[in-house]
Amino acid sequence: IWSLLKIYVLMLCTISTVYNTFLLIFCVVGCCVQMEEIVFETKDALDWSYRSEGVVNLVLAYSGSSPTFLGKVMRIKKIRNTRNENGDRSGSCLTTQEKLIWGEIKDLASCQNKEIVDYLFVKHVMKPLLGHKYVTPGICLPVEKEFLESVKKIVTSQRHSWRANTLSVDTNRSFALLMDDLTIFSHGQVEDHKPCLTVEIKPKCGFLSSSSFIAEENVIKKSISRFEMYQVLKLRENQISQISEYDPLDLFSGSKDRIHKAIKALYSTPQNSLQVFLNGSLVFGGFRGGICKTTSKLELAFEHTLNDFFKTEDDSGLRANAFIELVAETVYASGALDQLLEVQKLDKYNIEGAIHAYYDLVDQPCKACQELESSKLSNQFGSMHSLPQDEKVNILKDFLISSTAIDCSVMISFRPIETGLSRPSSHGNIQLESTKQEFEYKIHFIDLDMRPLKRMEAYHESDKKITKTYQEMLKKKKGDQPRRF
């Protein structure tokens, strides 16, 4: 009887486990089906408001009352140049050569919609590489043209004045990307006593290439970061008014002191590399229209914004210092940028090497070889051109993935934990010594879209221009130095 009873209990447990499993699957599938059935219409546009934008995308925050969308943002594509920069993609699907590169991912290779291609790329390529806890692909949802037209009108009235003449919503798109609002912690509910501070950083390239394919006249690239060299070109073209103090090599160094130096430099000269949100509202910096230097007036306003976030008795710059310390300590303790650096380092050939593989894959005469003057390099690139196609495909794949990782943004959100209320959490915790406070934090990488293969030529031209401009600056500086007799 006792044996039969144990068997009966075991059967009940098994049945219960199977039932719960099916129930979980049913709920997940039901949720996905429910999402897939959502189509944004004209009337829904009023529930979305302008949050921010970059070169390619507009970001809208949800301001309505539907539980489904609380704590969500929507990313919508902006109008792009009518020039077909993606080769024979015809506006949506991958080119023949891109299918060779990404063909192992069937859903991606067969996809006929650009928005969904980017979503699948993040999900199947970048998320496994960067880590599931750091990347959330979001959900692609269909949108009506009338919805996008209404959003365009709303955005026009809410954008910053300096963006008046820049590109706006592409009303011919059929999908938008629904994502978690990373500037808050949970379900759109901001607790009054728990403000959320979010820092968005564009870290850029964190390593120096040691590729043997870098020409002798460009050897400067092996000792000076691309970011530093690019600053000289931006200054010459009046894109910035002064050189940034920031160096990505400091941020990715793994050294606590150098990371602190990098965050301090970003704060001092934000340009388009740093912006800060408080409870979802932009309070410092701003991409594309970012400030070149933090003045005393801007710092005073930022200090005032942080009044309820950092516990300090003195108002003489201590909150800004606490902010810099908090971000630097979190970057160091989390190690998240170590993983990003590994993905950036997938490019082992530099654009000077990868461009040769590109021209072979697209079956065009190699313009890079035509520009070479050194016979030694000609022979070196001859070996590149003789590689099997699958090796060239891998070189280009790694380069494009690396380019995505170099151009992405990292978002770090913080909220204070009341003394004595620290509890287990899925997020990380950090102790700030200067204010004797503990904070909960979460980190995500965003802007991880696929780079089109056709952009290789633009990368190559940009690299030559940046390097040439920096070298000209060095020669001029050397020529300006007084002679010693």
Side-chain angles (χ1 to χ4, degrees):
I1 293 174
W2 179 244
S3 297
L4 289 173
L5 184 60
K6 286 196 291 185
I7 293 172
Y8 177 70
V9 171
L10 181 61
M11 288 177 61
L12 285 178
C13 291
T14 303
I15 293 171
S16 176
T17 302
V18 171
Y19 172 78
N20 288 333
T21 302
F22 273 110
L23 183 62
L24 177 61
I25 294 173
F26 177 78
C27 291
V28 170
V29 171
C31 180
C32 293
V33 170
Q34 184 182 14
M35 279 292 189
E36 288 178 356
E37 290 176 350
I38 294 172
V39 179
F40 289 103
E41 302 172 351
T42 306
K43 60 181 177 62
D44 300 314
L46 294 174
D47 292 332
W48 297 88
S49 58
Y50 177 87
R51 166 65 65 78
S52 63
E53 63 183 290
V55 177
V56 180
N57 301 296
L58 277 156
V59 179
L60 308 175
Y62 184 69
S63 54
S65 57
S66 170
T68 305
F69 302 116
L70 284 176
K72 302 292 182 183
V73 294
M74 182 185 296
R75 199 182 73 169
I76 297 176
K77 292 291 183 183
K78 295 168 67 174
I79 298 170
R80 298 293 289 162
N81 194 314
T82 54
R83 176 177 62 86
N84 185 7
E85 69 169 2
N86 301 328
D88 61 351
R89 182 178 287 173
S90 303
S92 58
C93 58
L94 301 183
T95 66
T96 302
Q97 293 79 21
E98 286 172 329
K99 287 178 181 177
L100 286 174
I101 293 174
W102 309 113
E104 62 188 34
I105 306 170
K106 294 182 179 179
D107 291 346
L108 187 59
S110 61
C111 184
Q112 297 296 309
N113 185 283
K114 181 62 174 68
E115 289 93 334
I116 298 179
V117 161
D118 285 334
Y119 160 75
L120 293 173
F121 177 77
V122 175
K123 180 180 179 180
H124 294 300
V125 179
M126 299 309 297
K127 185 174 181 177
L129 287 171
L130 290 172
H132 289 63
K133 71 175 181 177
Y134 295 132
V135 179
T136 53
I139 302 171
C140 267
L141 293 177
V143 290
E144 292 184 349
K145 185 178 181 68
E146 291 75 16
F147 170 80
L148 294 176
E149 288 174 344
S150 297
V151 164
K152 184 176 180 179
K153 292 178 183 178
I154 293 171
V155 165
T156 300
S157 64
Q158 296 178 347
R159 295 170 95 188
H160 301 294
S161 57
W162 62 270
R163 286 197 183 270
N165 297 320
T166 60
L167 300 176
S168 188
V169 177
D170 185 350
T171 57
N172 292 317
R173 298 285 180 169
S174 52
F175 285 88
L177 190 64
L178 190 70
M179 308 177 71
D180 291 337
D181 186 347
L182 300 177
T183 66
I184 55 179
F185 260 81
S186 60
H187 309 300
Q189 304 300 316
V190 179
E191 301 173 43
D192 291 338
H193 64 289
K194 283 191 178 181
C196 180
L197 188 73
T198 302
V199 183
E200 183 174 356
I201 298 171
K202 288 185 178 295
K204 294 302 180 181
C205 186
F207 73 103
L208 296 172
S209 178
S210 58
S211 170
S212 60
F213 290 95
I214 294 175
E216 186 176 342
E217 61 268 24
N218 298 330
V219 72
I220 191 73
K221 290 162 59 174
K222 295 184 177 183
S223 58
I224 304 295
S225 72
R226 175 184 169 85
F227 182 88
E228 183 177 339
M229 290 195 290
Y230 197 10
Q231 286 284 300
V232 176
L233 177 60
K234 284 185 172 183
L235 185 66
R236 176 178 290 188
E237 295 182 343
N238 296 317
Q239 296 181 44
I240 57 175
S241 59
Q242 70 177 69
I243 298 291
S244 173
E245 298 172 14
Y246 170 65
D247 187 346
L249 301 182
D250 290 329
L251 189 67
F252 285 92
S253 66
S255 160
K256 185 182 292 189
D257 290 341
R258 289 183 67 186
I259 291 171
H260 188 276
K261 177 185 175 184
I263 301 302
K264 186 176 181 179
L266 283 169
Y267 176 72
S268 299
T269 52
Q271 291 187 4
N272 65 337
S273 299
L274 173 73
Q275 56 184 2
V276 184
F277 300 87
L278 183 62
N279 298 334
S281 297
L282 183 67
V283 294
F284 183 82
F287 295 160
R288 307 303 295 178
I291 50 179
C292 274
K293 186 172 180 62
T294 300
T295 62
S296 56
K297 183 178 179 180
L298 288 170
E299 184 161 14
L300 186 63
F302 188 54
E303 284 274 335
H304 180 72
T305 300
L306 300 177
N307 273 349
D308 296 328
F309 198 80
F310 292 110
K311 309 295 185 187
T312 61
E313 298 178 358
D314 195 335
D315 291 332
S316 57
L318 291 183
R319 293 189 182 90
N321 289 337
F323 164 78
I324 292 168
E325 181 187 349
L326 177 63
V327 178
E329 289 285 341
T330 303
V331 169
Y332 175 76
S334 69
L337 291 189
D338 296 343
Q339 189 63 33
L340 181 63
L341 183 60
E342 288 304 307
V343 180
Q344 290 185 358
K345 285 183 174 180
L346 286 175
D347 170 31
K348 294 179 172 58
Y349 292 85
N350 191 260
I351 185 62
E352 291 190 48
I355 190 65
H356 297 271
Y358 164 74
Y359 281 117
D360 282 350
L361 193 66
V362 298
D363 196 23
Q364 292 181 14
C366 184
K367 296 178 184 177
C369 280
Q370 293 170 5
E371 296 171 357
L372 288 175
E373 297 178 359
S374 168
S375 58
K376 180 180 178 181
L377 282 174
S378 297
N379 294 332
Q380 189 174 0
F381 291 125
S383 65
M384 170 70 80
H385 287 293
S386 64
L387 289 174
Q389 179 168 283
D390 61 336
E391 289 189 37
K392 295 173 186 172
V393 165
N394 286 331
I395 289 170
L396 292 169
K397 178 191 293 184
D398 287 344
F399 181 89
L400 294 173
I401 291 174
S402 171
S403 297
T404 292
I406 288 170
D407 289 336
C408 79
S409 292
V410 56
M411 295 192 73
I412 312 175
S413 294
F414 303 93
R415 65 176 175 184
I417 299 174
E418 293 180 19
T419 305
L421 295 181
S422 181
R423 60 187 183 279
S425 168
S426 58
H427 307 297
N429 286 12
I430 195 83
Q431 185 79 32
L432 190 62
E433 292 300 324
S434 61
T435 64
K436 305 302 180 185
Q437 288 176 272
E438 187 176 3
F439 295 89
E440 190 174 12
Y441 71 86
K442 61 178 181 178
I443 300 177
H444 287 89
F445 297 117
I446 62 170
D447 297 336
L448 297 168
D449 293 350
M450 176 193 293
R451 281 6 183 201
L453 180 62
K454 182 67 176 178
R455 197 174 291 177
M456 292 292 295
E457 294 181 58
Y459 283 140
H460 189 223
E461 290 302 314
S462 177
D463 181 76
K464 289 190 294 182
K465 189 175 182 180
I466 290 169
T467 308
K468 181 182 178 182
T469 304
Y470 189 80
Q471 289 172 330
E472 288 173 350
M473 181 272 295
L474 290 179
K475 288 178 182 178
K476 185 177 185 299
K477 186 179 290 187
K478 187 176 181 180
D480 290 342
Q481 289 179 353
R483 294 183 180 182
R484 295 183 179 179
F485 296 96

